[in-house]
Structures are given as C-alpha cells and as structure tokens.
Amino acid sequence: MRKNKVISFGFLSLAFIFFCNPGFNVFDILPDCFACLFMVAAISKLGDLCDDLGEAKRSFLTLFWINISKLPALVIVVYIAGSNMNEGTMWLVLAFCYAIADAVFTVRAFNQLFDGLAYLGTRNNGGEFLYHRVLREEKQIKLRNGNIKVRPERIWRLESLSGFTSLFVIVKAACSTLPEFVRIYRTDEINNFGYAYTEFIPHLYVLLGVVATAFGIAWVIKTLSYVSDMKRHADFWTGLGEKYKAEVLPRRGIFIMRYVNVFAIILSAAVFFSVDLYLDEINVLPDFISAALFFAAACVVGKYSGGAASLKFTSVIYFITSAFTFVAMIMFKTGMFSSFGYYYKNVHSVDAARELYTLYAVSNALTQVAFVAVMMSAAAVMLRIVHEHTGINTLTGTSNSSRPLEKVYAAKIMRMRIFSIIAAIMSVLYFYLIVYADRVPLRDGRYVYMPRFEIVWMVDFVVGMIFAIHASSLVSDLVSEVACKYKYE
C-alpha cells in the first residue's frame, strides 16, 4: 500500500529524462513542458512542507508556461516567414530569446529544488542522504614494503549535482542556439569554398546536438542515480508522510487556495484564446480551444464553488458552436467540402462563396452568443468564490477601495460582463464590415470591390485583447483576496 506518499519517484525520474534531451532552435525531441508537469506532480506535496520546494514548484510552472508560449510564437513566425523561408532573422531572435529564458528559469528552478531537498534533509532525522553520502570509507592499506597507505574516504555532495545541472542547462541552451547565429551573415554570401554560410546550419546542429546529448546522458545518469538512492530510504519518506498528514491535511484552506489558483490560470488562458486573431483571413486561435479551457476551469473549481454545473453546460454549447464555426471557416477557405476555396473578395461575385460565407458568419454569431453565456456563467462562479472564500464584509487592499469587498467585485465582474458583450458584438460585426465594399467599375465593363474597412480585423483583435486583459486582471485580484483569507490559516 502507498500510504502517506509525499513524493512520486516515477514522475521525478520522468522529469529528469524529459529534461535531458537536446533542443534544436525552439524544438525539443521530448518537450520540456511535459518535464515541468512531471516535476510539479512529483514534488507538489513536498512543497507544502518546505518553502524552497514550494518556490521550486512555482518556478517549474513558470517554465511550463514559457515552453507552452513557444507554440503560438512559432505559428506567428511561420506565418511571417512563410513568403520567404530563407529569411531567418525571426528564427534567430526567437531561438536566442527562448534559449536565454529557458536557461535562466531552468537553473533557478533546479537550484530551488536541490536547496529544498537539502533543507528537508537537515530538518528531519535520517535525511542526510539527500545532501551528503559517503561513497567510500577511509581505509588503511598495507603495502608490500610494510608501509601503510591511507586511502581517503570519498564523499558525494548535493552541491556537485547542482553545479553539473547548471552546466548542462547552459550547454543545452547554447547548443540549441549557436547554429542560428550563422544567419547573421547574408544568406546569399559565399565563402572561399563556394558554399553559402547557411548551408552549414544543419551540420552545426548535428555536431552540437551530439555534444548536448553527451552532456544530457551524463546528467540523467547522475540524477537517476540520486533518485534511486532516495528510494532506498522508505522510512524517511514514511515519516514525512506522517508529518504531512498531521500538519498539512487539516489546513483545508490551502487546498481551496490551490484549486482557485488553478481555476484562475485556466480561466485566464480561456479568455485569451477567445480573442479573434485573423491572419490571412484565418482565425489562428480557434474558439473551441477556449471552450475546452472553460470546461476544464469548471471541473477544477466545482468542488469548492457553486455554479460550476452551469459553466460546464454553457462551455459544451460554446464548444459545439465554435467547432462548427471552425469547420465552416475551413469549408470557405480551403474548399475541403467544395470544389475550391474562396477569399473575402469572392463573396460579392461568386454565389457559392456567398453561401459558404453566410454559413460561416451565422455560425460565428451563434458562437458569440454561446460565448456571452459562458462569460455570464463564469461571472456567477467568480461571485460565488467572492462570497464563499473571501472576507466579503472586509475592505480590500487589492482594489484600493473603501467599500466592502463583495460590492467592489460585483462592480468589477459587471464590467467584465459588459466587456465580453462588446467583444462578442465586435466579432459579429467583423463578418459584416470585412466584406463591406464599394463597387468600382472597370473600363472593360467588369467591376472590382474595394473594401472600406480593411483594418477591422485589427480593431476586433484590440477589443478582444482589452476584454482578455481586464478579465485576467480581475481573476488575478480574486486569487490574491482568497490567498489573504487562507494563506495563514
């Protein structure tokens, strides 16, 4: 039986394995975002017993979001560079920025992890193995000539693993980025051997990939050996489990605070994915992703707040309508279910394009109605959190107001509802304004249609971003208020 288990050695081993692989530009063979999740799952309970490990958990979560942010950044860069794949400036900037961010935050997270484990070892009986281990005892050896030779003891210290980890992370970041600096030279510049400099980039990636892999293998052997030694001290972890059961489990507030925090993160991601971002007449942030995140947020918070059932139901409706809108967009743009695809300019001159566009616009309108319903349900859940998990009759330092907290957040949530309605209306108007055009006659008797509001996509995006920033700021304030009630419970 796995009673009082405060650490998952399986997840810890997987985290180290996923971190050891080399990177190429912003690509990972084994994505580091999964490694971060494995690490958080492994040390989550220990973070409640040790502040350093709690900070390590938060640092790995930050690193997770940094790695996740590579995906939309990659989409945008591919779109920008799509017309000229030899243009590597954006790839160089992207690789360099992410290499710096990965190195800084990864080194910080692992230092906090090892510091936390060392702290546990010094503050609990029998924990010396976490930071200090005698690999070989001191021994006297009698030589043939009768002399005595003393073989010194060999000691392993956690500082050595921490230092090698920092070295490996820096080498990994450098090897994933250095080949891109070849792009500083002009892509058509020829060296003395008659080759363009950029032709060496794949060869440099292979060479530096071998170096990073060698460091990674050496590092993962050391870390897995450390995990293997940790597993041998079952009594120590059982004792920590008893301590966790006695000191942490009775504090119900920290679990509420944790669920509300996860709810806030997912909800913030959901509102940002609801923003319309049209590139080449394609919405690169499909709304069904936002709907799935809203549903996940409802599942997370349902145990500690009312109104989650309504949010789940509206999220499902939102997902269905947004998925249908996405299919309608594909039908219109790529011709998946017709003979060929269309552009907005074809709406005025081609009957089939007009029919598909009408279907696209109507389905989007239904999606926006469902989106507003989701935001109304999310607002109700947030009000319940304010009422159930904050000091509703106290003054709030977060809002800097002299009014009671409940009235402050009721007003803020009402503004969020209004902003969501405005964003939905703008999304609907986009489909009308983007094809609103003047008919200009040509000399040969034909006509061309000149759009009047070509930048309406930008207006739609800005309005959506204003709503998303306001909503995420409100959710962040709400988390702070919940933390004020439960943090020192």
Side-chain angles (χ1 to χ4, degrees):
M1 296 179 66
R2 303 189 305 176
K3 293 183 178 180
N4 305 321
K5 188 175 182 181
V6 292
I7 184 171
S8 173
F9 296 112
F11 280 135
L12 189 61
S13 300
L14 282 174
F16 287 134
I17 291 172
F18 270 72
F19 269 121
C20 78
N21 69 104
F24 303 96
N25 198 299
V26 295
F27 302 96
D28 271 329
I29 298 175
L30 299 175
D32 286 351
C33 58
F34 292 118
C36 295
L37 293 180
F38 290 142
M39 186 64 74
V40 170
I43 66 173
S44 180
K45 291 184 177 180
L46 290 179
D48 296 325
L49 294 171
C50 172
D51 290 340
D52 284 332
L53 289 174
E55 289 295 327
K57 183 176 72 172
R58 286 185 282 273
S59 295
F60 280 113
L61 284 174
T62 301
L63 189 61
F64 166 79
W65 289 113
I66 289 174
N67 281 275
I68 284 294
S69 69
K70 293 179 182 179
L71 299 178
L74 207 56
V75 171
I76 294 174
V77 170
V78 169
Y79 170 77
I80 293 174
S83 58
N84 183 8
M85 294 308 294
N86 292 323
E87 176 58 48
T89 304
M90 289 298 296
W91 293 108
L92 171 59
V93 172
L94 187 69
F96 181 73
C97 292
Y98 274 111
I100 295 296
D102 279 342
V104 170
F105 282 92
T106 304
V107 169
R108 179 172 178 264
F110 273 110
N111 284 340
Q112 291 171 337
L113 172 67
F114 294 133
D115 288 345
L117 291 173
Y119 177 87
L120 282 180
T122 56
R123 291 295 186 271
N124 296 275
N125 294 330
E128 294 82 5
F129 68 93
L130 287 173
Y131 61 89
H132 176 276
R133 189 165 69 246
V134 177
L135 300 179
R136 185 178 63 193
E137 299 286 348
E138 181 179 303
K139 185 178 181 180
Q140 294 184 347
I141 302 176
K142 186 175 182 180
L143 303 179
R144 293 181 179 178
N145 59 9
N147 294 332
I148 301 297
K149 179 180 179 182
V150 178
R151 187 179 68 179
E153 68 176 0
R154 184 181 175 188
I155 299 176
W156 174 89
R157 301 182 188 278
L158 185 59
E159 290 87 348
S160 63
L161 180 59
S162 179
F164 188 73
T165 298
S166 299
L167 175 63
F168 161 66
V169 170
I170 294 172
V171 169
K172 176 182 176 181
C175 291
S176 69
T177 307
L178 288 177
E180 294 295 333
F181 281 89
V182 176
R183 299 184 188 276
I184 293 177
Y185 292 93
R186 290 179 52 189
T187 56
D188 58 349
E189 188 172 340
I190 306 298
N191 58 27
N192 295 331
F193 299 98
Y195 296 99
Y197 285 106
T198 51
E199 293 183 18
F200 291 102
I201 291 179
H203 305 288
L204 289 173
Y205 267 126
V206 172
L207 177 63
L208 294 177
V210 171
V211 174
T213 301
F215 270 88
I217 292 174
W219 177 75
V220 80
I221 290 174
K222 289 178 177 292
T223 53
L224 292 182
S225 175
Y226 182 49
V227 174
S228 178
D229 187 70
M230 292 169 65
K231 292 171 67 175
R232 297 191 187 100
H233 298 79
D235 292 340
F236 174 80
W237 301 112
T238 301
L240 279 185
E242 294 292 342
K243 184 177 181 181
Y244 182 86
K245 183 178 179 180
E247 297 180 5
V248 178
L249 290 184
R251 298 168 57 194
R252 179 174 178 268
I254 66 170
F255 298 101
I256 295 175
M257 187 171 62
R258 186 172 297 162
Y259 274 92
V260 171
N261 190 46
V262 175
F263 166 77
I265 293 173
I266 298 176
L267 190 67
S268 297
V271 295
F272 275 102
F273 270 100
S274 70
V275 176
D276 294 332
L277 178 57
Y278 290 96
L279 299 177
D280 196 20
E281 302 181 2
I282 294 177
N283 188 0
V284 297
L285 298 177
D287 286 345
F288 62 79
I289 299 177
S290 174
L293 290 170
F294 276 117
F295 185 84
C299 293
V300 167
V301 82
K303 183 177 180 180
Y304 294 106
S305 178
S310 175
L311 182 56
K312 289 180 182 178
F313 176 76
T314 53
S315 298
V316 171
I317 301 300
Y318 182 32
F319 183 87
I320 294 172
T321 55
S322 58
F324 187 78
T325 300
F326 182 77
V327 172
M329 180 183 70
I330 297 299
M331 291 171 61
F332 178 78
K333 288 299 300 175
T334 67
M336 182 180 293
F337 301 111
S338 60
S339 56
F340 51 87
Y342 302 103
Y343 294 92
Y344 291 153
K345 63 183 180 181
N346 302 127
V347 172
H348 299 282
S349 56
V350 181
D351 290 338
R354 189 180 304 112
E355 293 174 0
L356 288 174
Y357 186 79
T358 301
L359 176 65
Y360 183 16
V362 170
S363 62
N364 176 73
L366 294 175
T367 297
Q368 298 310 313
V369 172
F371 167 71
V372 171
V374 166
M375 290 309 304
M376 297 301 111
S377 299
V381 171
M382 293 168 68
L383 280 174
R384 291 290 292 271
I385 292 175
V386 171
H387 184 77
E388 296 171 1
H389 302 297
T390 64
I392 60 174
N393 294 319
T394 62
L395 304 182
T396 170
T398 301
S399 63
N400 220 9
S401 173
S402 60
R403 293 183 298 163
L405 182 66
E406 189 174 30
K407 292 184 178 180
V408 169
Y409 275 91
K412 285 187 173 184
I413 291 173
M414 179 56 67
R415 286 197 294 271
M416 184 189 72
R417 287 170 168 167
I418 294 173
F419 279 135
S420 69
I421 294 173
I422 294 173
I425 292 174
M426 189 64 232
S427 181
V428 173
L429 288 176
Y430 166 83
F431 281 83
Y432 172 74
L433 296 176
I434 197 66
V435 295
Y436 188 63
D438 292 321
R439 190 171 73 164
V440 179
L442 300 177
R443 293 181 179 179
D444 58 1
R446 295 182 300 170
Y447 295 92
V448 295
Y449 293 87
M450 303 298 294
R452 292 186 178 183
F453 304 102
E454 286 187 284
I455 64 169
V456 66
W457 70 271
M458 186 178 298
V459 177
D460 183 26
F461 174 74
V462 170
V463 171
M465 284 300 296
I466 292 173
F467 154 72
I469 292 172
H470 178 271
S472 60
S473 176
L474 173 59
V475 171
S476 178
D477 289 347
L478 181 59
V479 170
S480 299
E481 295 295 348
V482 175
C484 285
K485 179 178 180 180
Y486 291 123
K487 187 173 183 179
Y488 302 107
E489 183 185 62

